[in-house]
Each structure stands twice: as C-alpha cells, then as structure tokens.
Amino acid sequence: MPINTIDGHTFTVNDEGFLTDRAGGSEDLAAILADLIGIDDLTEQHWAPLRFMRTDSATTGVTPTLRRMQTVGGFDIKELFLLFPGKPAKKLAYLAGLPKPVGCV
Amino acid sequence: MLANKLAKANLPDLTITVVDQNDDHHYQPGYLFIPFGTYRPEQVVRSRAAQLSKQVTFLRQTIERVDPDGRQVHLAGESALAYDWLVIASGAAPRPDQTPGLMDERVWRRSAFDFYTLDGAEALHAALANFEGGRLLVHISEMPIKCPVAPLEFAFLADDYFRGRRMRHKVDITYVTPLDGAFTKPVASARLGNLLEEKSIRLASDFAVAGVDPQASTLESYDGRHLPFDLLVTVPVNMGAQFVIDSGLGDDLGFVPVDKHTLQSVAHERIFAIGDATNVPTSKAGAVAHFEVDHLVRNLTAAMAGQPLPSSYDGHANCFVEAGRGKALLLDFNYDTEPLTGLFPAPVVGPMKLLGSFAHQPPRQAGLREDLLERAAAGEAAAGAERDVDVRQGAGHSQEVRSHAHQHY
Ligand SMILES: Cc1cc2nc3c(=O)[nH]c(=O)nc-3n(C[C@H](O)[C@H](O)[C@H](O)COP(=O)(O)OP(=O)(O)OC[C@H]3O[C@@H](n4cnc5c(N)ncnc54)[C@H](O)[C@@H]3O)c2cc1C
C-alpha cells in the first residue's frame, strides 16, 4: 500500500487513493485533500455531509451511499452534486477518509 | 430448500411453516431470455408447494408485519402466526416507483421496460419484436441489484439479437451504470468493459439517475447528463420486501442487517435471514442463497439447542456471464477474494483459460447457463476464479439440463 505525505500528514492509501484507515482522516487533512480534487474552500455546507458520513460509518461500518445520505442524513442529492461536482459519493468518501462506497458486489 | 433440509434434520419438537404470498415459483434467471424469445413465460414458473417436503406446512398468505418482541408474524386479514424462530427469505423486488418519471404512462411499458419481473420481460419481448431501430439504453438504477451481471448480459444478448435480425447498424446501444465501470470487481470490470467495446456498446458510467423525463424521452442524471432513448431497458432500484421495511427490520433499502457469517439478525437473536433479503456484502444471487442454506441449517440447529453458532458463511458467490455470440465466462469470488486471472484447470468443465474467451456450442445458452450454475453451486468452482468456460453440449441435452436447474432452486 502506498504511503502519502502531504503538509506533514502521513497516511496509507489504496490503489485508488482512498485512505485505508479511517483513523488517518481528519478535518485538517480533508481541507488539504479538497484542494487536490478541485474544491477550493470547504464551507459549512461541505462539512455537514462530511461529518455525517464519518459518524454514520462509525456505527454501520460502511461508507453511506448517496441514498442513505438523503434518507437518513436528510441531504439533498442535487445539492451534494453541486457541492462535490461530478462524483459526490466518491469525493465525500475520499475527503472523509473512508473507503469508496460500493453499493454491492 | 432450507425448509426441506431442516425437515430432514428431524429436530425434536420442530414444526416448519413456509409462508408465501403466491404459489408460483419463478426461475428468475430465465427472465433474461424471455425478451429474446429463447424462453416462454410458462417455462419459468412452477408450483412452490410441490417442491416442499410433506413435513413442511405451506401457507399461501401475504405477510404484513413482523412483531419481533411479541414473536408474531401478522398476515393480511386479521390472522397472525406465532414463532420461536423466524427466517426471513422475502427476497428483493424491483421498485420502478423509486425513479421519478419512470412510471409515467407516456413511457412505462411503452418505451421504458424492466425485465426483472415476468410481466416486464414479456412486455419487453413484444417491444423488441416491434423495435425498428434507434437508441437503446440498458440501465442500472442503483446497486445492489439481483444478479449484478444480468443487465450486462442483456446488453450482450441484445447485440446478438439485433445482429440476428440484420439491423444492428440501426441500433445504438448504451450501457448506463452508477458504477465507475462495467462491473463492481476491478478485474472483471476491465474484462467486461473490453467486451462492451468489442461489441460497439457505449458505456455511460458514474450515472446517478435523477429520473426519467417522459416528455423529452430522456434519462436524467444528477450531474446534468440527459440521455435520449427510443427504448429504455432499466433495472429499477431493488429493495427488500415492504413488510420488512414496515416492521423496522430493514436498512435504508429494506434489507435485513445480519451478521455476514452467521446470518443472524443483528437486532433480534430469534430472527435469521437468507438469500436476497439480507444485507450481506456479496451478490444477490440464487447461488448465494444456495451456499447459505447449509450454514443456516447448522446455525439454526445450534441456536435452538442454546449453543453458539458454529457455521460461518464466507460470501462465496458465483455468476455465470452470458457474453453473447455463444461465449460465456464464470465469475467466482467471496468476501475477501477478487476474481483471479490465470489458468485454471477444472476437471469437469475442462481446462479453462481465465479471462480469455472460448466458444461454447450455441444456441442453447440458457441450458448451458443453468448447467454451469448447477455445477458451480455444487461446489465445483473454487472461490477466487474468474474463468471463461468451454463446455460442449449436445443440442438435445438442454431440456434435461433445464429441469435439473429447476430442482436446484
Ligand atoms: C433477471 C435475473 C437474472 C438472474 N440470474 C441469476 C443467475 O444467473 N444466477 C444466480 O445465481 N441468480 C440469478 N438471479 C438471482 C436469483 O433469482 C435470486 O437471487 C434468487 O431468486 C433469490 O432467492 P430468494 O429466495 O432470496 O428470493 P426470491 O426467490 O425472490 O423469493 C422471495 C419470496 O418472498 C415472497 N414474498 C415477498 N414478500 C412477501 C410477503 N409480504 N408475504 C409473503 N411472501 C412474500 C415472494 O413471493 C417470493 O416468493 C437472477 C435474478 C434476475 C431477476
């Protein structure tokens, strides 16, 4: 597994760049990673779904899907697409330090 | 199958009741072949009660709710059944109502179809026969779905079908998926992605469907893509049974959260679940339900005796992929193993070259598929193999193979 170091943060990632250990994720790191995927500023609107993702996955053990972000978290999917353009589920997981959400096998 | 095996185990003081809302057991893998006329509807339906051991009571009733604290199953009408142990096996069902605009009368069953129900597959058969060309979208709404390769196979078979009618040049086929590639598992995804390309089928990936615009006849995504269609073949969101949701026993898609190894409900120790109804992270496939049965028999037996649950299911799943033009490959994996590449010798189906392509004898693909499923479910496939299979089979053999497979489910 590759190990990345950015601005003093060291963390292990998988082949696709997702953190392998959720403990490696932090809000500091999220802010740095956001820059790498073209999100200039993480606003409160960004933080709310990111925090939900981390708390929710802490109890369920899996990264929530967009459906769950909507039904359980109360977030509007359209809005998530505006905040995290293109691939919100993946971008959210990446920033939250969680595995890519795979709905299934 | 579980009920029959439990009955055979002859446990003391055990009475077994199977409740189902109908007596029509559908061989669902057969749905894939109905649109192309390979199967007729009556070939995939048989009586449920007739498959059950005499020691098992069959009740034809609709379940409305489960009360886990009172240990009762409430049926339609006023009646209820008390239980000591409950196994939820209510499967997964397509829910076209979950996609806005899909069921609008301007499109639903006119230009938009599903083949995950028998009547949907039949309606699509007629629509394909009348199709004169244009844009065909083969679409998955959301994962997980039953037999995740079935839509891909549909695309491959549609390619064949239109070639057979000498009108492939008039049909623009696009495979539309919420995943980032053709399939979930990376190795298989690359292999299957190549197949799409070889067959000139476009791929629209990462497509999070927002709805159907029935006026414009387009499929809309949240990121603003509009895909026009003349024929939409969609796999609607698959959800667990409504009674599971209404009883508070399901996750956000209505699947019962269970321990992925023991299949016991995480919330209620007297409830287990099996098959498509669970949330275990493996394919929703008949083969999976089949593999789970023996584990569940052992675990239920132990639970009834007040012992720790001994048996651990590993997520073993396999899926036989109909690649079109008489070719096939078999994916075999479990919770931890990706489908592997390399050469895999298997005595029964002959030497196989993983991720290469062999031809098998068309045209009885349906029979072959079931034959392989049979063998795979019988444990002949090793977890971790992805293989292309070369099976030679006499044409007259398929009927026999099919009735075999029927017993299997
Ligand atoms: C197009 C297609 C192709 C497939 N191809 C393959 C394949 O190649 N290989 C493979 O292994 N699998 C395949 N499958 C998947 C396979 O059919 C399922 O995984 C399998 O049927 C699951 O069995 P089950 O018993 O869990 O659920 P089901 O067979 O769906 O049974 C659920 C039962 O619950 C009953 N029920 C639901 N709600 C209620 C209620 N409220 N009250 C009473 N009864 C209720 C239903 O009537 C139904 O009989 C395919 C599926 C489809 C749709």
Side-chain angles (χ1 to χ4, degrees):
Chain A
M1 297 279 179
I3 295 176
N4 279 356
T5 308
I6 306 177
D7 288 359
H9 296 268
T10 302
F11 48 94
T12 327
V13 297
N14 68 12
D15 295 347
E16 293 182 290
F18 288 82
L19 265 65
T20 51
D21 179 8
R22 57 175 291 130
S26 67
E27 300 208 346
D28 274 2
L29 182 59
I32 298 166
L33 295 178
D35 215 34
L36 300 179
I37 56 170
I39 300 173
D40 296 340
D41 255 323
L42 287 181
T43 64
E44 224 13 73
Q45 277 175 301
H46 292 94
W47 286 118
L50 280 171
R51 288 181 186 134
F52 169 80
M53 216 176 211
R54 273 187 78 86
T55 17
D56 186 65
S57 72
T59 49
T60 63
V62 293
T63 308
T65 58
L66 281 186
R67 164 177 291 270
R68 189 167 172 87
M69 298 292 292
Q70 184 183 41
T71 54
V72 181
F75 299 99
D76 179 37
I77 297 186
K78 271 216 167 81
E79 202 160 289
L80 293 178
F81 267 90
L82 293 175
L83 291 166
F84 303 91
K87 303 177 177 181
K90 268 184 231 165
K91 288 185 175 173
L92 275 158
Y94 176 67
L95 298 181
L98 299 172
K100 171 169 103 169
V102 190
C104 116
V105 210
Chain B
M1 186 172 162
L2 176 69
N4 288 348
K5 285 213 171 176
L6 276 173
K8 223 176 172 178
N10 265 324
L11 300 172
D13 305 324
L14 183 67
T15 58
I16 306 168
T17 306
V18 170
V19 186
D20 204 296
Q21 57 202 355
N22 57 50
D23 187 33
D24 296 329
H25 181 279
H26 289 198
Y27 178 66
Q28 297 175 37
Y31 294 173
L32 176 62
F33 301 95
I34 287 177
F36 305 105
T38 321
Y39 268 5
R40 290 186 313 279
E42 62 272 18
Q43 288 178 290
V44 301
V45 185
R46 63 177 181 169
S47 160
R48 223 179 263 294
Q51 320 304 323
L52 288 170
S53 144
K54 289 201 173 50
Q55 289 141 272
V56 176
T57 309
F58 179 68
L59 258 190
R60 193 178 151 178
Q61 288 271 7
T62 300
I63 298 165
E64 287 199 328
R65 200 164 49 80
V66 172
D67 168 11
D69 299 321
R71 279 203 249 148
Q72 288 208 320
V73 175
H74 294 270
L75 307 172
E78 298 289 278
S79 58
L81 293 172
Y83 67 82
D84 293 313
W85 302 93
L86 177 68
V87 178
I88 298 177
S90 40
R95 293 285 296 262
D97 58 303
Q98 298 288 312
T99 302
L102 177 57
M103 294 189 82
D104 187 290
E105 59 183 20
R106 283 169 288 180
V107 293
W108 184 240
R109 301 269 161 103
R110 287 170 186 262
S111 56
F113 296 85
D114 82 300
F115 66 95
Y116 267 47
T117 54
L118 187 55
D119 53 340
E122 276 183 84
L124 181 56
H125 178 48
L128 277 178
N130 294 325
F131 192 58
E132 283 166 3
R135 282 159 302 203
L136 166 63
L137 302 182
V138 182
H139 170 239
I140 301 178
S141 303
E142 191 173 318
M143 299 306 276
I145 58 168
K146 300 192 248 199
C147 194
V149 294
L152 203 51
E153 294 174 281
F154 184 92
F156 295 153
L157 293 174
D159 168 71
D160 268 9
Y161 172 85
F162 291 120
R163 270 175 214 283
R165 283 181 54 190
R166 304 204 177 286
M167 57 179 286
R168 180 65 179 89
H169 60 288
K170 291 194 206 157
V171 187
D172 179 356
I173 307 179
T174 305
Y175 186 70
V176 189
T177 170
L179 300 172
D180 55 11
F183 195 57
T184 49
K185 304 265 172 186
V187 177
S189 183
R191 174 74 180 91
L192 295 167
N194 287 344
L195 273 176
L196 285 175
E197 214 176 296
E198 275 167 32
K199 293 169 196 287
S200 307
I201 298 170
R202 293 176 212 271
L203 176 66
S205 56
D206 286 307
F207 194 93
V209 67
V212 169
D213 180 342
Q215 183 63 38
S217 241
T218 52
L219 192 63
E220 311 278 317
S221 72
Y222 279 113
D223 60 3
R225 281 177 278 174
H226 317 275
L227 300 180
F229 63 84
D230 298 296
L231 185 60
L232 169 66
V233 176
T234 184
V235 179
V237 179
N238 280 203
M239 291 174 72
Q242 193 59 43
F243 81 83
V244 172
I245 299 170
D246 295 344
S247 310
L249 290 172
D251 63 12
D252 33 299
L253 281 170
F255 298 120
V256 183
V258 293
D259 179 291
K260 70 179 184 180
H261 298 299
T262 64
L263 305 176
Q264 186 176 41
S265 153
V266 294
H268 305 280
E269 63 175 13
R270 283 178 178 270
I271 299 181
F272 289 75
I274 189 170
D276 293 352
T278 79
N279 76 333
V280 299
T282 189
S283 284
K284 295 206 175 298
V288 166
H290 186 111
F291 295 138
E292 288 172 343
V293 165
D294 289 331
H295 296 285
L296 201 43
V297 169
R298 286 194 286 270
N299 285 345
L300 268 169
T301 308
M304 288 172 197
Q307 289 158 1
L309 308 183
S311 204
S312 180
Y313 173 60
D314 64 355
H316 187 188
N318 53 34
C319 223
F320 177 58
V321 185
E322 191 65 58
R325 299 181 214 172
K327 291 185 181 177
L329 57 113
L330 182 66
L331 308 182
D332 196 84
F333 49 89
N334 64 23
Y335 288 143
D336 304 318
T337 332
E338 284 280 338
L340 297 173
T341 62
L343 264 174
F344 193 90
V348 181
V349 266
M352 308 173 174
K353 187 162 165 280
L354 303 189
L355 302 177
S357 265
F358 282 99
H360 67 65
Q361 298 283 307
R364 294 303 309 190
Q365 288 126 324
L368 171 70
R369 170 194 186 82
E370 290 158 4
D371 183 32
L372 277 173
L373 281 174
E374 273 276 276
R375 293 172 174 191
E380 283 165 17
E386 175 186 10
R387 0 192 250 193
D388 284 13
V389 207
D390 178 16
V391 174
R392 311 208 183 274
Q393 188 190 340
H397 193 52
S398 55
Q399 188 60 37
E400 187 193 318
V401 172
R402 198 181 56 246
S403 49
H404 252 184
H406 276 227
Q407 280 159 22
H408 163 60
Y409 284 96

